[in-house]
Every structure is written in C-alpha cells, then in structure tokens.
C-alpha cells in the first residue's frame, strides 16, 4: 500500500530512454554528465538554467523539465541515444548510495546537507524523496530522520512555495510509520497524535494509534530512534579508523627503499619506489608505478565497456557500487603495465587474468572477500593499482590485521593471497571502504599459480 503511494509519488518520469546508463554506480559517468549538461545549457540556457543549479540532486528537475518542454530540438536531443540523461533509477541509486554512507559513517541529514551541500539539497522535495527511498528499502531509521528534516524545513516559510506533492499530513504519517517499523513506539504514538490533532475525525489515524498503543502493551524493547547505530555491515568505521591508526604507527617503523626487483635489468635503470606497508602478511606499495598519461589511457579504454558489477550469472548486484571491465591485452599501454607488474613482482603474467579496471560510485564499496577462490590454478597474488586519489573514504582495508591502505594515484599495492604451501592466507581478507567523497578508480591484476614454479617455489612446510 505504502509502496504504491511511493511509486505514484516518484513515478513522474515517463520518458523512454533506449540507453540505460547507471550513473550512480560510476562517478566517472557523473563527470561526463557535466559535459553533456553543458551542451544542453548552451542550447536552452534561458529556459532551463534555473532548473539546473546543481548536478546531482537536481536530476529530477532536469527530467521533469523535459516533459514540459515544447522545444522540438530539445526533445530530439533527449531521445537520442548519445545523450545520457540519468534515469529515475539513477537518482534512486544515488540516493541509496547516500543512505549507505549515512549508515557507514553515522551521518544525519543535517551532516550531509550542511554548507555547500545544503544548497544542492535545498529543494525540499528531494529531502522527502530521500525519506521515501530509505523507507522503501526498509531503512526506517534513516527514513525517519529524512522525514523529520523535511518537516523542519516544512515549517520554514521559504520552503512553502516549493511544496506540491507532499502535505504535512503525509509527512507526519510517514514519520509515525517509520518510527513504528523501527520499533520506537512512543515516538510513533507522538506523531500519530499530532496527526489526530490536525484532523480529530480521521478514522484511519485513530485506528493506527490504537494499533500502536496495543503493541506497546506487549513490547518491552524501545530502541532510540534518535541515536544512529553502527551499521551491521561488515566493515565498520571503527575497525577502519583503528586500522588507520595502527597502520600509521607501523609505517614509521617500516622503511621506504628503492627496489631493483632482485637485479632485474629493466629496473636497474629505473628502480621502483617500494614501500613496505605491512610485514605479516607482507603488503608492499610501489609508488609511481604508472604515469598519469597511462592512467588516462587505461580509463579511456575502459569507459565504453564499463558495466554494472555483477554477482553470479545474469543477476545484477543489488548493491550497485561499482562498474568494471576486463581490458583486452592488445593495447600497448596494457602490455607495458603488465610488463611492469611482472618486473616488480618477479612473477610470470602468463596465466594472470587480464587487467580489471573498476570505477566506484558515491558510497561505492566492496564487501570483505578473499581474492583467492577455491581453484586448481589459484590467484596466488594481487597487484592493485590506484588510478585516482580519493578525497574521503575508499581505503582498502584488511580487517583481520587492521591495515588500511589509502588510494594514491599512480601507486599500487601487492600481496600474496596464498601461503607458500598453497593454502589461502586468511589474513588477506580485504574490503573496499565506501567512497564518501571522490572518484575511485582502480586496476586489479590477479596473478595465478601456474607458471610461478620457479619464481616462487612451493613449500611443503606448514609454516610458510
Ligand atoms: C551530525 O548532526 C547531528 C545532529 O544535528 C549532530 O549532533 C552531530 O554533531 C553532527 N555530527 C557531525 C560529525 O557533524
Ligand atoms: C544499537 O546498538 C546497541 C548497542 O550496540 C544495541 O543494544 C541496540 O539494540 C542497537 N539498536 C538497534 C536498533 O539496532
Ligand atoms: C582520453 O579521452 C578524452 C576524451 O575523449 C580525450 O580528450 C583525451 O585526449 C584522451 N586521452 C588520451 C591520453 O588518449
């Protein structure tokens, strides 16, 4: 019932697009949007400029404006496959990403919309939309806080003019319902009572109120809806920051040095800047392993192929947090990068997987996992190249050992996933922290066992 209402509320987009691009799962595509937005502006600046104040949170306005538009050219442009206007689900994806960040970093709407962001989110409708999306995803606490924030803005005279689709009554209803679903019954009662004050004859509200009161008689738990809990997700910020602290402490003791890869002739002329990030398991960072120009080319090669990260066959990941592509081996830069990885690690690239390029979106994260899979020809080692800096968030964390590796453009980190006896090194479980701010690009090279017999001999020892 509620879902239907919600759908009615947000289903204001009826433009058919043939090209479905998911902008929220790739910040890079958001960047490209800026360009396309400029084209639009040039053509119809007078008409739509007031609608396009900010990029991300004004998408809905852009799409809505197209429905009102009578300009033929404008329509043609919109229906063309080349122009990638974000879809409603892109907007919802961005909103979900934001909610995921809130869970991860314990953020209230106030924390996100303050300052610069408050301008972007200033349109009250978007605030309620955040609430509805959180509500639909059963994230009732965050839904509650977004609705509460909307209600505060609602009382603000400025916002009155922009209110169309949602009434104060609707807001109170959703506040009551969110609190009820969260289990905070006294708060639910408070809001239903407010509703009843608005309209003492409303039978539906009376009934709801009766239900909540009844439930309270039988329920002892009463969680505090105003206190944000740590996310149940596996990488907790606590662990993350502890890792960072620990890591900084350790880094001081571990030295930086130049490496020639054990006398590799290619490296004697151009030694690698190698830094030991962690000793057990050994994680090494190579600085300036790839130039900005090369990064640019790898990104350019990847862009046309970026597709949603998929889990399993044919099913699209529900947590749409990144887009990725395996790059073909033919390109000269790809060959050069592969050679450099071989030189740095001393391992053979013969059986390695193609370079895997990944771009994360806002809130983009990667759940804890092992790179090694249960496989005959196992992923013996991982070479992870950072192709961008990330302003906030986006660290690669090893929760079992408390290491947090910060993305640094042009650098790469390397570790073995297997012990020398072939067993998976359980300490190498790692995860990508959510990107709070920035555009995270990485390239993975997964190196396999076969072909490494001479460079990394096997051991029968239990301890290696
Ligand atoms: C976030 O907002 C809440 C509520 O306004 C406030 O109490 C808290 O201090 C803010 N936290 C940060 C980190 O700004
Ligand atoms: C929040 O965390 C506290 C302490 O960890 C726990 O007792 C409480 O049940 C949690 N509340 C919810 C709603 O998850
Ligand atoms: C990458 O693509 C952009 C846009 O197509 C282009 O301007 C740029 O020159 C390309 N960079 C390289 C290094 O090829």
């Amino acid at each position: 019932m509620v879902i239907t209402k919600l759908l009615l509320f947000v289903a204001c987009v009826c433009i058919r697009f043939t090209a479905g691009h998911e902008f929220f799962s790739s910040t890079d595509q958001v960047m490209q949007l800026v360009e396309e937005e400029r084209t639009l502006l040039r053509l119809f600046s007078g008409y739509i400029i007031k609608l396009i104040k900010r990029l991300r949170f004004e998408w809905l306005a852009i799409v809505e404006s197209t429905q009102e538009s009578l300009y033929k050219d404008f329509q043609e442009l919109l229906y063309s496959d080349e122009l990638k206007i974000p879809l409603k689900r892109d907007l919802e994806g961005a909103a979900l990403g934001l909610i995921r960040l809130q869970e991860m970093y314990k953020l209230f709407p106030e924390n996100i919309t303050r300052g610069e962001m408050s301008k972007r989110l200033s349109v009250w409708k978007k605030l309620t939309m955040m609430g509805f999306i959180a509500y639909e995803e059963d994230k009732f606490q965050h839904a509650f806080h977004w609705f509460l924030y909307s209600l505060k803005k609602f009382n603000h005279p400025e916002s009155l003019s922009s209110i169309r689709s949602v009434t104060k009554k609707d807001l109170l209803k959703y506040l009551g319902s969110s609190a009820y679903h969260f289990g905070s019954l006294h708060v639910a009662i408070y809001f239903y009572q407010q509703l009843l004050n608005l309209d003492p004859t409303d039978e539906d509200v009376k009934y709801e109120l009766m239900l909540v009161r009844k439930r309270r008689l039988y329920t002892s738990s009463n969680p505090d809806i105003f206190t944000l809990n740590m996310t149940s997700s596996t990488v907790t910020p606590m662990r993350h920051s502890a890792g960072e602290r620990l890591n900084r402490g350790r880094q001081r003791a571990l030295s930086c040095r130049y490496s020639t890869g054990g006398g590799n002739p290619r490296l004697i002329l151009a030694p690698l800047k190698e830094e030991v990030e962690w000793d057990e398991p050994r994680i090494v960072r190579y600085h300036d392993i790839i130039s900005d120009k090369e990064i640019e080319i790898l990104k350019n090669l990847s862009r046309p192929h970026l597709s949603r990260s998929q889990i399993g066959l044919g099913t699209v990941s529900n947590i749409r947090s990144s887009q990725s592509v395996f790059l073909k081996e033919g390109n000269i830069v790809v060959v050069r990068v592969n050679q450099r990885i071989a030189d740095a690690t001393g391992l053979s690239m013969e059986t390695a997987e193609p370079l895997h390029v990944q771009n994360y979106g806002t809130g983009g994260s990667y759940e804890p996992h092992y790179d090694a899979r249960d496989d005959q020809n196992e992923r013996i080692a991982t070479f992870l190249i950072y192709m961008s800096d990330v302003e906030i968030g986006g660290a690669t964390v090893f929760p079992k050992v408390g290491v947090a590796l910060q993305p640094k453009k042009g650098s790469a980190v390397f570790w073995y996933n297997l012990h020398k006896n072939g067993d998976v090194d359980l300490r190498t479980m790692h995860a990508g922290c959510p990107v709070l701010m920035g555009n995270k690009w990485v390239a993975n090279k997964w190196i396999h066992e076969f072909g490494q017999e001479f460079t990394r001999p096997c051991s029968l020892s239990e301890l290696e």
Side-chain angles (χ1 to χ4, degrees):
M1 172 206 73
V2 175
I3 306 270
T4 324
K5 262 191 205 160
L6 167 70
L7 286 178
L8 276 178
F9 172 73
V10 284
C12 50
V13 189
C14 56
I15 304 167
R16 284 159 289 129
F17 289 98
T18 44
H21 294 268
E22 295 224 339
F23 293 92
F24 56 82
S25 56
S26 161
T27 315
D28 182 65
Q29 296 200 9
V30 174
M31 303 293 189
Q32 290 177 21
L33 256 186
V34 180
E35 267 312 307
E36 278 157 10
E37 196 179 74
R38 274 194 199 120
T39 314
L40 271 182
L41 280 175
R42 236 178 289 122
L43 280 167
F44 301 102
S45 52
Y47 184 68
I48 55 171
I49 201 153
K50 64 183 187 299
L51 293 167
I52 309 176
K53 291 193 194 101
R54 281 286 188 275
L55 184 62
R56 237 179 262 189
F57 295 101
E58 299 292 332
W59 284 345
L60 201 58
I62 299 173
V63 179
E64 276 175 354
S65 76
T66 64
Q67 290 181 293
E68 294 156 18
S69 170
L70 296 172
Y71 293 99
K72 192 165 148 286
D73 290 352
F74 187 33
Q75 292 284 359
E76 269 171 17
L77 187 65
L78 278 175
Y79 284 107
S80 79
D81 285 356
E82 281 95 69
L83 189 77
K84 300 176 190 109
I85 286 275
L87 305 175
K88 183 168 72 67
R89 68 156 194 261
D90 292 320
L91 191 72
E92 289 173 0
L96 273 178
L98 206 58
I99 292 163
R100 207 132 40 86
L101 287 176
Q102 286 186 272
E103 289 185 311
M104 215 65 185
Y105 295 99
K106 287 176 80 170
L107 299 170
F108 289 92
E110 287 90 333
N111 303 131
I112 301 179
T113 57
R114 206 174 278 154
E116 169 96 55
M117 292 285 274
S118 80
K119 278 183 224 136
R120 297 184 195 180
L121 264 179
S122 65
V123 179
W124 178 85
K125 230 162 133 183
K126 273 87 189 171
L127 297 180
T128 31
M129 190 201 73
M130 290 298 299
F132 285 126
I133 287 172
Y135 190 93
E136 195 188 16
E137 291 291 313
D138 293 353
K139 299 190 182 300
F140 295 113
Q141 187 177 27
H142 287 287
F144 177 86
H145 283 283
W146 280 106
F147 288 132
L148 194 63
Y149 191 62
S150 309
L151 189 69
K152 279 184 202 158
K153 295 278 164 188
F154 192 97
N155 295 329
H156 202 273
E158 238 176 66
S159 58
L160 281 172
S161 59
S162 65
I163 297 159
R164 274 188 233 107
S165 359
V166 181
T167 62
K168 183 169 182 179
K169 221 169 139 180
D170 289 336
L171 267 189
L172 291 173
K173 219 173 254 178
Y174 275 104
L175 278 162
S177 180
S178 303
Y180 175 81
H181 281 104
F182 183 74
S184 194
L185 301 181
H186 65 291
V187 175
I189 289 171
Y190 171 83
F191 284 105
Y192 283 127
Q193 191 60 59
Q194 295 269 310
L195 262 176
L196 210 54
N197 293 348
L198 281 184
D199 179 5
T201 64
D202 193 326
E203 291 300 323
D204 288 348
V205 173
K206 278 186 199 163
Y207 183 70
E208 292 284 341
L209 196 54
M210 188 268 291
L211 282 185
V212 183
R213 289 213 165 108
K214 209 171 194 176
R215 188 176 155 195
R216 194 164 70 159
L217 293 179
Y218 302 106
T219 319
S220 55
S221 95
N222 195 10
D224 180 9
I225 199 163
F226 295 97
T227 306
L228 289 185
N229 248 18
M230 211 64 103
T231 167
S232 58
S233 186
T234 22
V235 201
T236 65
M238 196 70 118
R239 177 59 111 173
H240 177 194
S241 52
E244 274 179 324
R245 268 200 304 282
L246 201 55
N247 192 31
R248 272 198 289 275
R250 291 291 282 270
Q251 268 176 3
R252 272 195 290 276
L254 301 168
S255 59
C256 298
R257 65 188 180 100
Y258 279 88
S259 164
T260 53
N264 182 319
R266 258 191 299 269
L267 298 180
I268 289 172
L269 293 176
L272 295 169
K273 289 177 211 149
E274 181 185 297
E275 179 185 0
V276 179
E277 288 265 8
W278 201 256
D279 44 7
E280 285 291 324
R282 190 175 171 84
I283 303 171
V284 177
R285 189 188 295 256
Y286 297 100
H287 294 275
D288 306 319
I289 191 90
I290 182 169
S291 71
D292 286 357
K293 182 81 190 286
E294 287 167 326
I295 287 175
E296 174 88 16
I297 289 166
L298 290 186
K299 285 179 182 173
N300 276 6
L301 284 176
S302 310
R303 280 187 178 110
H305 307 289
L306 286 180
S307 62
R308 274 186 280 177
S309 288
Q310 304 213 335
I311 291 175
L313 244 157
T315 57
V316 171
S317 163
N318 201 28
I319 305 166
R320 301 151 178 161
S321 55
S322 74
Q323 297 191 352
S324 63
V325 60
F326 280 105
L327 285 184
K328 289 206 196 79
E329 301 283 315
N331 184 279
I332 177 82
V333 175
V334 177
V335 171
R336 217 189 295 153
V337 169
N338 281 340
Q339 184 59 54
R340 214 166 295 144
I341 297 172
D343 290 345
T345 61
L347 294 174
S348 161
M349 294 297 118
E350 292 278 310
T351 60
E353 290 168 58
L355 210 55
H356 180 256
V357 173
Q358 224 172 342
N359 179 226
Y360 292 79
T362 302
S365 62
Y366 201 154
E367 298 288 301
H369 64 282
Y370 295 102
D371 281 350
R373 301 164 300 182
D374 207 8
D375 206 337
Q376 272 288 307
N377 180 14
E378 192 58 91
R379 284 172 172 172
I380 190 173
T382 299
F383 199 89
L384 172 60
I385 303 170
Y386 295 110
M387 302 207 296
S388 68
D389 296 313
V390 182
E391 280 107 272
I392 309 176
T396 308
V397 290
F398 290 67
K400 292 203 171 164
V401 283
V403 185
L405 308 170
Q406 292 305 325
K408 179 170 171 282
K409 189 175 180 183
S411 78
V413 288
F414 170 75
W415 67 88
Y416 280 100
N417 297 305
L418 303 182
H419 291 291
K420 280 189 179 166
N421 66 12
D423 290 344
V424 174
D425 186 342
L426 297 178
R427 300 166 302 181
T428 62
M429 186 176 84
H430 58 285
C433 287
V435 177
L436 188 51
M437 215 174 126
N439 187 2
K440 183 181 176 187
W441 280 90
V442 299
N444 275 292
K445 189 77 180 170
W446 290 298
I447 303 163
H448 284 253
E449 273 179 289
F450 293 177
Q452 320 299 351
E453 291 81 0
F454 299 107
T455 43
R456 197 195 195 218
C458 301
S459 162
L460 296 177
S461 162
E462 292 279 310
L463 302 171
E464 282 189 286

